[in-house]
């Protein structure tokens, strides 16, 4: 009874924590914002770069206030939340916003604590039935073995995912997802897709705003891990349910996305398309991973999380936007690629030079993808007629 009472209390606190924390931060920020009437500014005009920094900070503060006001409403407008989220979500409200955008949490504020408690309890019960007490058949045992092979390979650059207790959590999430989705089962690459959720919700529970590798995992309680694991499972499930065809037999959804990418590139950058064809490059050879793992292996985890703000704002149409993002990513290096032969191209595309990217590069990529989507999404007949 005490444990159930603690979990109910935790569910309520989760919803209250973000509003309280962010409200305190907004009050702190208002204390340090430069005043336009200060005597110092009248005698020492700020430089242009100082003005830009001040404007950026003011804009960030304003966006956070808009998110806070929206999420505090009795019923959140999904249209307004999607519109705000498209351009990025402040870190201190991202976890709550993602859960609502995915449909894991209801838009009704008063129903959220009960929903969290119920869904987490449902996950724990399913875990006990299917993982702890169950006997696996040959197929299930083979699935679990493959998951255990893949999990240690998950984002090797992130120390968090090399911690044994974290790896056990990922194994349970992926195995239970596979059991609940027999049409596809576990597919390599899905292990990458759970990581943004796990990182985000662990930071949420720990009230940690720094780098995830700075979290002292030894200080994380088992109850906290259970909450993070359950929330990650349900949110990953919501995400993958919208792209189920990507992971069924022969992965037809990914095949279609790769074909669409090839068609787009031929229209947007004909010289690049011709060079790839002349060198014998098949789009499936490099773009399959881009679609299967949603660029998790081409961009840093922090940049993927920012990109997913926009993807989740798109709703079930995020897979369509992702194709345009991949087109923008490929075309960005058109001039370099057109100087390379087959081997050089494949090596380049397998190790894209994104390690030094900042968030502004991700913003530019998303903007370019949106432009391509605006220009080409509604003109399939025009594309076909122009190619004939």
């Amino acid at each position: 009874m005490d444990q159930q009472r603690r979990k109910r209390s935790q569910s309520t606190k989760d919803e209250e924590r973000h509003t309280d924390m962010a409200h305190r931060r907004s009050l702190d920020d208002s204390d340090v914002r430069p005043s336009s009437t200060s005597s110092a500014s009248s005698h020492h005009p700020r430089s242009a770069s100082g003005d830009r920094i001040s404007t950026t900070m003011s804009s960030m503060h304003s966006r956070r206030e808009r998110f806070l006001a929206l999420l505090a409403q009795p019923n959140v407008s999904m249209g307004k939340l999607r519109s705000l989220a498209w351009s990025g979500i402040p870190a201190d409200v991202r976890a709550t916003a993602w859960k609502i955008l995915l449909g894991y949490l209801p838009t009704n504020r008063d129903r959220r604590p009960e929903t969290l408690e119920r869904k987490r309890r449902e996950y724990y019960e399913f875990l006990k039935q299917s993982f702890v007490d169950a006997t696996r058949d040959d197929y299930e045992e083979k699935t679990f073995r493959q998951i255990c092979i893949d999990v240690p390979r998950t984002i090797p650059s992130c120390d968090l995912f090399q911690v044994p207790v974290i790896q056990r959590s990922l194994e349970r999430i992926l195995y239970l997802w596979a059991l609940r989705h027999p049409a596809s089962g576990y597919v390599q690459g899905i292990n990458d897709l759970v990581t943004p959720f796990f990182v985000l919700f662990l930071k949420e529970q720990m009230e940690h705003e720094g780098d995830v590798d700075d979290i002292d995992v030894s200080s994380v309680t088992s109850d906290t891990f259970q909450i993070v694991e359950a929330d990650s499972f349900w949110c990953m499930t919501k995400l993958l349910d919208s792209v189920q065809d990507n992971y069924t037999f022969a992965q037809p959804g990914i095949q279609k996305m790769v074909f669409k990418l090839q068609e787009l590139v031929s229209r947007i950058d004909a010289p690049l398309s011709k060079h790839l064809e002349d060198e014998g490059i098949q789009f499936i050879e490099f773009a399959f991973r881009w679609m299967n793992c949603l660029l998790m292996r081409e961009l840093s985890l922090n940049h993927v999380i920012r990109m997913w703000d926009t993807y989740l704002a798109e709703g079930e149409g995020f897979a369509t936007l992702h194709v345009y993002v991949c087109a923008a990513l490929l075309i960005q290096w058109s001039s370099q690629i057109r100087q390379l032969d087959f081997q050089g191209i494949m090596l380049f595309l397998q190790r894209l030079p994104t390690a030094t990217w900042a968030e502004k590069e991700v913003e530019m990529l998303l903007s370019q993808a949106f432009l391509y989507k605006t220009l080409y999404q509604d003109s399939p007949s025009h594309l076909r007629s122009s190619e004939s």
Side-chain angles (χ1 to χ4, degrees):
M1 290 295 292
D2 289 341
Q3 187 176 8
Q4 292 179 348
R5 204 175 294 118
R6 284 199 303 272
K7 288 180 179 177
R8 282 195 294 270
S9 176
Q10 181 66 50
S11 298
T12 303
K13 289 178 180 177
D14 285 345
E15 289 304 310
E16 295 174 347
R17 181 189 302 121
H18 294 289
T19 301
D20 292 342
M21 286 178 60
H23 181 63
R24 289 197 299 271
R25 291 190 193 98
S26 66
L27 292 177
D28 293 342
D29 288 349
S30 65
D31 291 338
V32 299
R33 277 184 295 174
S35 170
S36 59
T37 60
S38 68
S39 60
S41 62
S42 64
H43 293 293
H44 302 284
R46 286 193 298 260
S47 65
S49 61
D51 287 338
R52 286 194 296 270
I53 293 172
S54 177
T55 301
T56 300
M57 291 178 64
S58 177
S59 176
M60 292 172 61
H61 174 76
S62 176
R63 280 184 57 75
R64 183 163 64 234
E65 288 296 314
R66 292 168 67 190
F67 270 99
L68 287 172
L70 180 60
L71 293 174
Q73 292 180 1
N75 289 284
V76 173
S77 165
M78 284 296 287
K80 291 180 179 178
L81 181 57
R82 291 188 192 284
S83 179
L84 270 179
W86 209 99
S87 298
I89 304 174
D92 50 9
V93 296
R94 179 176 274 133
T96 298
W98 276 26
K99 290 172 185 176
I100 295 174
L101 287 168
L102 284 161
Y104 177 48
L105 283 183
T107 55
N108 182 280
R109 183 185 59 197
D110 293 339
R111 290 177 50 212
R112 291 175 204 160
E114 183 275 331
T115 299
L116 281 175
E117 179 189 349
R118 175 172 51 82
K119 296 301 289 184
R120 288 167 180 171
R121 184 173 63 248
E122 185 178 338
Y123 175 78
Y124 305 146
E125 291 172 354
F126 186 55
L127 181 67
K128 185 176 187 299
Q129 294 168 5
S130 305
F131 196 91
V132 178
D133 296 339
T135 300
R136 302 187 187 113
D137 60 27
D138 290 344
Y139 174 77
E140 292 168 345
E141 189 63 39
K142 181 180 178 181
T143 297
F144 186 65
R145 279 201 306 269
Q146 185 61 57
I147 290 171
C148 291
I149 291 172
D150 289 348
V151 163
R153 302 171 178 169
T154 303
I155 314 186
S157 60
C158 181
D159 292 341
L160 179 75
F161 295 111
Q162 309 312 309
V163 177
V165 66
I166 303 290
Q167 293 183 349
R168 301 296 84 77
S169 281
L170 297 186
E171 289 168 3
R172 289 190 291 269
I173 292 170
L174 296 169
Y175 181 67
L176 294 187
W177 187 88
L179 291 185
R180 290 174 67 95
H181 296 81
S184 61
Y186 171 73
V187 176
Q188 287 178 292
I190 295 179
N191 55 306
D192 290 313
L193 302 183
V194 70
T195 57
F197 298 118
F198 201 95
V199 165
L200 183 59
F201 299 149
L202 180 60
K203 292 173 72 172
E204 172 195 26
Q205 292 299 318
M206 298 300 292
E207 301 182 6
H208 180 83
E209 293 188 359
D211 192 280
V212 69
D213 282 334
D214 294 334
I215 293 178
D216 180 9
V217 177
S218 65
S219 69
V220 183
T221 67
S222 59
D223 283 350
T224 295
F225 272 128
Q226 287 183 345
I227 290 170
V228 172
E229 186 176 316
D231 290 352
S232 298
F233 170 82
W234 288 119
C235 286
M236 185 190 78
T237 297
K238 291 285 189 180
L239 178 78
L240 296 185
D241 280 352
S242 64
V243 287
Q244 183 82 19
D245 283 353
N246 286 13
Y247 305 104
T248 54
F249 178 73
Q251 300 181 263
I254 290 179
Q255 301 284 347
K256 292 176 184 177
M257 292 169 75
V258 172
F259 176 78
K260 189 172 184 178
L261 174 63
Q262 183 173 356
E263 181 185 55
L264 274 172
V265 174
S266 70
R267 290 292 302 146
I268 300 170
D269 191 336
L272 174 59
S273 178
K274 186 177 186 306
H275 182 70
L276 293 175
E277 182 179 353
D278 290 345
E279 290 298 325
I281 301 290
Q282 300 292 321
F283 272 69
I284 197 72
E285 294 174 327
F286 65 88
F288 181 90
R289 188 176 79 179
W290 294 8
M291 307 305 175
N292 191 53
C293 302
L294 298 180
L295 295 177
M296 285 288 307
R297 300 181 186 180
E298 282 64 43
L299 300 175
S300 73
L301 183 56
N302 286 335
H303 291 156
V304 167
I305 289 174
R306 164 59 195 94
M307 191 164 68
W308 281 21
D309 289 344
T310 299
Y311 281 14
L312 298 186
E314 287 282 305
E316 292 189 359
F318 87 87
T320 299
L321 178 62
H322 181 69
V323 175
Y324 289 93
V325 168
C326 291
L329 187 67
L330 179 63
I331 292 168
Q332 177 168 339
W333 286 292
S334 176
S335 59
Q336 293 99 310
I337 292 172
R338 284 185 279 117
Q339 304 302 314
L340 301 173
D341 60 11
F342 177 90
Q343 184 176 2
I345 293 170
M346 293 306 298
L347 289 174
F348 183 87
L349 294 177
Q350 288 169 5
R351 298 178 181 177
L352 291 175
T354 60
T356 59
W357 273 23
E359 190 166 303
K360 66 178 182 179
E361 279 79 19
V362 177
E363 301 282 357
M364 292 172 62
L365 181 69
L366 290 167
S367 296
Q368 188 64 54
F370 179 75
L371 176 61
Y372 288 156
K373 183 171 179 280
T374 302
L375 291 172
Y376 294 99
Q377 183 179 25
D378 296 326
S379 57
S381 60
H382 170 68
L383 296 184
R384 286 195 295 270
S385 64
S386 65
E387 289 172 355
S388 59

